[in-house]
Amino acid sequence: SDPRFINKIIIITGAGGNFGCSGCLFFLRRGARIAALDVDQNTLNETLAELESIATEDSVIAEGTRIKGYICDVTNSSNVDAVVSSIVSDFGRIDMLWNNAGYQGQIKPTLEYDPADFARVMNINVTGMFIVLQSVAKQMSQQKADGETSHPYSIVNTASVAGLRGTPAMVAYSSSKAAVLAMTVSSAKDLAPHGIRVNAISPALIGPGFMWTRQNELHAASGSPYFASNAEDVAKAKIGGVPMKRLGSIEEVIKSVAYLLSDDSSYTTGTNLVIDGG
Ligand code: NAD
């Protein structure tokens, strides 16, 4: 376990996905108690089943720690408010939020991009992220107003280097992640007086695994002149452009999330931690 996270109540959205599932395991092993949220019942159940099977062999997880899954659509504010209330009645309070659910949208050049998909990406990645941030921050602020002093509140939003640099054939995703960065800075200012820190992470090339391979296949098929037409060449060119000449691991992403969620970063708010190998 880890004194930074023992008995901390952490909400993780997108818990059925790659980052979310690994994050649940990482923080459970460190003694946290997790509310795992996802809109997709199947992937959420897979995460919970995987953690349960590990828990039976892992005494650190089995002893005195707990995880609970909640089906939640981040774009639906009454759904989110109801889930936040359930979490408070199940766990007693909320200490930290990893605001991580996301949708990458189509991989198509700007001239061919479907405006309806653009709106969907913005709705999930921006409006949905805001709805969760606001609902959880209201709860945290109430806890502080009620006199809670021992729980410094912290929120981490998952952005992306796509929001800083603009990835070809991902105009909606890049726009949404740039908005996440602005949301992080602005909400950090509003929430500082309430004792809540808000920061972002911006991962770049993370893998290996299904997401990395699939992404390269989609880029190869996108028709964009910035990508080779076969996935292996796309992968080579991407890694060739990284100063450290390798992919980042999910563990490296989550260690950055842990830094920003924990008191290790107690004087840091409104910042963006880039995880991109240079
Ligand atoms: P993923 O697709 O495996 O997981 C995303 C999860 O979000 C899924 O389980 C999905 O069901 C959930 N989700 C989608 N819409 C939702 C909604 N309306 N309500 C609730 N949940 C919803 O992706 P991942 O790789 O784990 O990515 C997690 C986050 O990291 C995303 O925000 C993504 O944009 C970002 N990111 C990923 C990478 C990468 O290389 N994988 C790089 C940079 C940023």
Side-chain angles (χ1 to χ4, degrees):
S1 65
D2 179 333
R4 297 178 301 170
F5 299 110
I6 290 174
N7 287 326
K8 295 294 182 205
I9 315 301
I10 308 181
I11 297 180
I12 299 180
T13 67
N18 273 297
F19 286 8
C21 178
S22 301
C24 289
L25 180 59
F26 181 96
F27 291 111
L28 271 181
R29 285 214 158 113
R30 281 157 184 78
R33 303 169 74 207
I34 312 284
L37 276 55
D38 206 288
V39 71
D40 184 332
Q41 174 126 44
N42 293 331
T43 55
L44 183 60
N45 285 347
E46 279 167 27
T47 288
L48 296 172
E50 190 174 327
L51 295 171
E52 220 162 84
S53 70
I54 292 166
T56 53
E57 4 172 308
D58 188 329
S59 61
V60 180
I61 292 182
E63 281 168 28
T65 54
R66 195 154 71 89
I67 181 165
K68 189 165 178 192
Y70 302 83
I71 303 296
C72 179
D73 180 352
V74 298
T75 66
N76 179 329
S77 63
S78 52
N79 186 190
V80 169
D81 285 343
V83 167
V84 167
S85 297
S86 300
I87 293 167
V88 174
S89 54
D90 293 340
F91 290 93
R93 58 167 205 281
I94 298 166
D95 298 314
M96 298 167 182
L97 163 67
W98 184 14
N99 208 357
N100 169 70
Y103 166 57
Q104 76 169 20
Q106 291 184 319
I107 307 288
K108 288 241 171 97
T110 294
L111 294 181
E112 289 145 47
Y113 207 97
D114 176 7
D117 190 72
F118 192 101
R120 178 159 188 240
V121 171
M122 295 301 279
N123 193 34
I124 296 172
N125 294 1
V126 184
T127 309
M129 189 166 283
F130 173 71
I131 287 170
V132 175
L133 181 146
Q134 186 191 47
S135 183
V136 171
K138 279 183 184 168
Q139 169 60 29
M140 290 170 164
S141 159
Q142 187 59 50
Q143 288 171 211
K144 182 167 183 278
D146 290 346
E148 197 175 65
T149 51
S150 58
H151 305 289
Y153 310 109
S154 182
I155 296 174
V156 173
N157 297 325
T158 304
S160 167
V161 291
L164 295 167
R165 297 174 198 154
T167 305
M170 295 183 76
V171 64
Y173 184 78
S174 299
S175 304
S176 74
K177 294 303 190 180
V180 167
L181 293 173
M183 188 195 313
T184 301
V185 179
S186 184
S187 62
K189 288 177 180 165
D190 285 339
L191 295 174
H194 298 270
I196 304 167
R197 295 185 300 111
V198 188
N199 292 288
I201 54 155
S202 285
L205 305 178
I206 307 302
F210 173 76
M211 288 291 281
W212 165 245
T213 311
R214 183 80 190 121
Q215 188 82 1
N216 294 329
E217 287 166 3
L218 291 169
H219 279 145
S222 69
S224 164
Y226 292 96
F227 299 111
S229 55
N230 81 76
E232 274 170 29
D233 290 342
V234 170
K236 257 188 226 150
K238 285 183 185 172
I239 294 171
V242 178
M244 289 176 73
K245 299 294 173 219
R246 67 169 177 86
L247 298 176
S249 67
I250 296 184
E251 175 100 2
E252 287 172 314
V253 172
I254 295 168
K255 281 180 182 166
S256 298
V257 175
Y259 167 70
L260 291 171
L261 281 183
S262 78
D263 243 7
D264 283 355
S265 59
S266 51
Y267 196 51
T268 298
T269 194
T271 201
N272 175 38
L273 182 48
V274 178
I275 307 152
D276 70 348

